[in-house]
Amino acid sequence: MTAQPANVMARITFIQNDGVERVVEAEPGMTVMEAAVKNSIPGIAAECGGACACATCHVYVEEAWREPTGHPEQMEEDMLDFAFDVRPESRLSCQIKVTDALDGLVVRIPDKQF
Amino acid sequence: MSEDVIKTDAVIVGAGPVGLFAVFELGLVDIKAHVVDILDRPGGQCAELYPEKPIYDIPGLTVVSGQELTDRLMAQIKPFGAEFHFNQRVESLERLDHGFRLTTDGGTKLECKILVIAAGGGSFTPKRPPLPGIEHYEGTSVFYSVRKMENFKDRDVLIVGGGDSALDWTLNLQPVAKSLTLLHRRAEFRAAPASVQKMLDLVESGDISFKLGQVTELHGEGGKLTSVTVKGADRVTFEQPTEVMMPFFGLTMKLGPVADWGLDLQENLIPVDTAKFETSEPRIFAIGDINTYPGKLKLILSGFHEAALMAQAAHKYVYPDKKLIFQYTTSSSSLQKKLGVK
C-alpha cells in the first residue's frame, strides 16, 4: 500500500445519546449513513438501505456543520415526518453526501430511531 | 368456519417481488400456491417503501418503479391462479407427516406440502414512538390501527402525523369521536391533496383542531391516557388533554413469529444451501432478503434466481413419484400451455 494523500478521506464524528464518540473515516462520494453502517455505528438502522424511504438513519447535525451539509430537499423533509423528535438540525444521514469539505463533521445520534 | 382448512401444495409467506416470482416458478412445475402477506396488497417493500422510486437493476428493464415491477409480476403470474391472503400474518407452524399446518392471525388455516419463506426484512409493523411508558397504553388508549370503531366512539382522539394514514383516519374518525385533534410537526402534509383539503375544511368549520408540535410525554394511569405533553413549533411545551392517541410514523420491519418456528437463524436471517435454498428443516425453503449464504446479495434479481432453484427442489416433495424434466418456456409446448399462450 502506498500512502494516500491526506485529503482523500473525511473524518466524521458520531456522538451517541450517552455521550460516547466514535470517529470514522469516510470516502468522499459515500453518504454519512453508509459511513456509519460500514463502521457498525450503533443507532443508525437504515432499514431501507439509503432510498430515503424509512427515516431510520436520523441524525442531528452539530450547529457549525449545518451550512456545509446543506438543507433537506423536499423528499427528505417529507420523510422526516416519520422520524421521532425532529429538530431544526435534523437530517437523514443517507441524504448527506460526504465531500472533502465535510472533513471534521460532527453528528449526534438520537436516543432511538424507533 | 374456524375448522375450515385450505389444502394446497405450497404456501408462500410474503408477497414481495420474490414471493410473487416464486408463484411463477412453482407454477411451471405444477405446484399450486397460496400467498400470505401482512400488507393489504402485493409488492412488499416495493409497494410499501418505494412504489414510485426507480429500480435500475432488473435484467431487461432499463428502469422500473417498485409499483410497476409489482404490477408486471402480478400479470406474469396470473396464469397460475395463486390465491392471496392479505392483511394477515402467519402466526403458528405445526408439523404434519408430509407437510405443515399454518394459522394466520386472521384465523385462516392452511395445510401445505412445502413452505416458502419469502418474508424479506420481516413483516411490516407500525413504528412505535419511543415515548416512555407507551407500552402501558397500547390497546387501551394508544392505537396504531382501527380494528374496532368503539375504541374511538365519543372519546377525545389525538392523531399524530401528516401522511396518508394520519389524514385518512382524521377524516374517518371525526364523525365518530367526541373531539378530534390532529398534531403534526409542520403545516405541510405528505398525503393525497384531496384528503388534505377535506381536513383543512374541517379545521375551518371548527369540527376538528389542528396543532403544530411533537409529543414528548404521555400522562395517565392504569392504561388510561388523560393528556400528552407537546413540544410546539415554537419549542414552547403545552399539555394536550386526550383519551386516545393514534401515532402514524410509518412502518418498520420485524422478523415476527418466523423466529419461533424452530429454524436455524443467523442474526435474524435464515441460512440456506445454495443448490435448493432449503432451510435447516426439509420442505421449508427461504428465498430473497430473508435468507443468508456465503456471498449473499440482497438484490431482487438474486431472489428470482433463488425462486427458480427452490421450485426445482420443491418438486420432489409435492410429486415424490414423478421425475422432473427441465424445460424452457421458449420451446416447451407444455409450459406454454400452462402459461396460457398456446
Side-chain angles (χ1 to χ4, degrees):
Chain A
M1 285 278 284
T2 49
Q4 293 183 327
N7 66 347
V8 165
M9 297 296 241
R11 279 167 307 128
I12 302 174
T13 304
F14 291 93
I15 307 177
Q16 303 296 143
N17 194 53
D18 58 10
V20 174
E21 294 187 16
R22 288 182 180 80
V23 182
V24 308
E25 295 209 322
E27 229 172 284
M30 71 197 301
T31 66
V32 172
M33 177 278 282
E34 286 170 321
V37 170
K38 206 176 155 197
N39 291 282
S40 306
I41 299 291
I44 300 287
E47 252 176 32
C48 77
C52 194
C54 71
T56 60
C57 65
H58 179 202
V59 295
Y60 302 119
V61 175
E62 283 279 283
E63 187 58 39
W65 292 96
R66 282 179 63 189
E67 277 309 314
T69 48
H71 295 283
E73 287 182 23
Q74 187 65 42
M75 178 175 69
E76 181 184 348
E77 194 62 62
D78 286 347
M79 196 44 63
L80 277 167
D81 284 351
F82 288 159
F84 186 74
D85 193 8
V86 178
R87 304 174 193 170
E89 64 272 28
S90 286
R91 290 294 308 269
L92 295 180
S93 57
C94 72
Q95 300 301 306
I96 307 174
K97 270 255 186 323
V98 176
T99 62
D100 293 349
L102 293 190
D103 186 28
L105 173 66
V106 182
V107 299
R108 290 178 181 273
I109 297 174
D111 182 19
K112 275 186 179 157
Q113 294 286 353
F114 262 97
Chain B
M1 157 111 190
S2 62
E3 275 313 295
D4 282 349
V5 177
I6 299 166
K7 295 196 174 174
T8 181
D9 296 333
V11 168
I12 300 168
V13 180
V18 174
L20 295 180
F21 196 63
V23 169
F24 183 90
E25 290 294 339
L26 290 170
L28 287 182
V29 296
D30 296 318
I31 299 176
K32 288 257 175 252
H34 280 243
V35 186
V36 183
D37 198 290
I38 187 109
L39 296 179
D40 60 0
R41 60 197 185 285
Q45 290 185 47
C46 282
E48 186 58 42
L49 289 183
Y50 45 87
E52 291 130 40
K53 288 184 178 144
I55 309 169
Y56 296 101
D57 60 353
I58 304 297
L61 297 174
T62 317
V63 56
V64 66
S65 70
Q67 188 56 53
E68 192 189 350
L69 179 64
T70 304
D71 294 344
R72 283 168 176 263
L73 284 163
M74 287 301 282
Q76 192 170 19
I77 68 173
K78 198 160 180 267
F80 301 109
E83 284 185 48
F84 288 86
H85 306 272
F86 291 118
N87 293 310
Q88 295 188 53
R89 185 168 81 169
V90 177
E91 288 295 312
S92 67
L93 169 81
E94 200 185 318
R95 272 88 177 165
L96 306 174
D97 272 352
H98 297 289
F100 310 96
R101 177 187 283 204
L102 307 165
T103 308
T104 72
D105 60 353
T108 306
K109 291 186 196 307
L110 295 147
E111 274 184 24
C112 55
K113 294 166 186 159
I114 62 149
L115 174 63
V116 180
I117 304 171
S123 57
F124 280 101
T125 46
K127 280 188 193 165
R128 167 200 263 181
L131 292 163
I134 191 167
E135 62 277 10
H136 304 309
Y137 298 102
E138 288 171 347
T140 47
S141 291
V142 171
F143 301 95
Y144 301 97
S145 62
V146 177
R147 299 245 169 185
K148 287 193 205 125
M149 278 293 187
E150 295 96 88
N151 290 331
F152 307 91
K153 200 167 183 286
D154 301 324
R155 297 177 85 181
D156 296 315
V157 176
L158 176 71
I159 292 184
V160 186
D164 278 306
S165 300
L167 272 284
D168 288 350
W169 286 114
T170 296
L171 301 179
N172 285 323
L173 293 177
Q174 179 271 323
V176 179
K178 183 163 80 183
S179 77
L180 194 143
T181 304
L182 176 65
L183 178 74
H184 186 40
R185 72 176 184 96
R186 55 181 185 147
E188 279 170 74
F189 302 88
R190 184 175 170 261
S195 311
V196 176
Q197 192 52 53
K198 275 189 204 155
M199 181 275 292
L200 293 172
D201 291 345
L202 288 172
V203 174
E204 185 75 10
S205 63
D207 290 303
I208 64 169
S209 36
F210 170 67
K211 290 184 180 172
L212 280 170
Q214 300 178 75
V215 177
T216 56
E217 278 173 58
L218 306 175
H219 309 284
E221 244 174 75
K224 279 191 171 171
L225 197 63
T226 50
S227 72
V228 300
T229 303
V230 177
K231 185 164 73 180
D234 46 10
R235 304 223 131 202
V236 177
T237 59
F238 61 91
E239 293 294 303
Q240 171 70 36
T242 193
E243 298 172 275
V244 171
M245 178 174 86
M246 295 195 80
F248 289 109
F249 288 91
L251 303 173
T252 183
M253 287 173 283
K254 295 250 188 297
L255 185 58
V258 175
D260 307 321
W261 292 351
L263 302 171
D264 286 352
L265 292 177
Q266 272 175 21
E267 291 175 14
N268 278 343
L269 297 169
I270 306 175
V272 290
D273 71 88
T274 52
K276 304 194 292 284
F277 296 93
E278 201 164 25
T279 66
S280 59
E281 180 161 338
R283 294 176 181 265
I284 302 183
F285 299 84
I287 55 176
D289 284 0
I290 199 146
N291 75 14
T292 182
Y293 51 84
K296 169 72 183 182
L297 282 181
K298 286 189 182 184
L299 293 177
I300 293 171
L301 75 94
S302 306
F304 288 167
H305 158 83
E306 294 162 16
L309 269 67
M310 172 280 294
Q312 297 289 310
H315 186 267
K316 71 166 189 282
Y317 292 120
V318 180
Y319 298 105
D321 305 324
K322 272 197 213 165
K323 191 172 184 296
L324 180 62
I325 299 154
F326 180 72
Q327 301 175 87
Y328 290 104
T329 54
T330 312
S331 50
S332 159
S333 57
S334 84
L335 290 188
Q336 288 172 1
K337 204 182 263 174
K338 290 173 200 174
L339 290 165
V341 293
K342 193 120 190 171

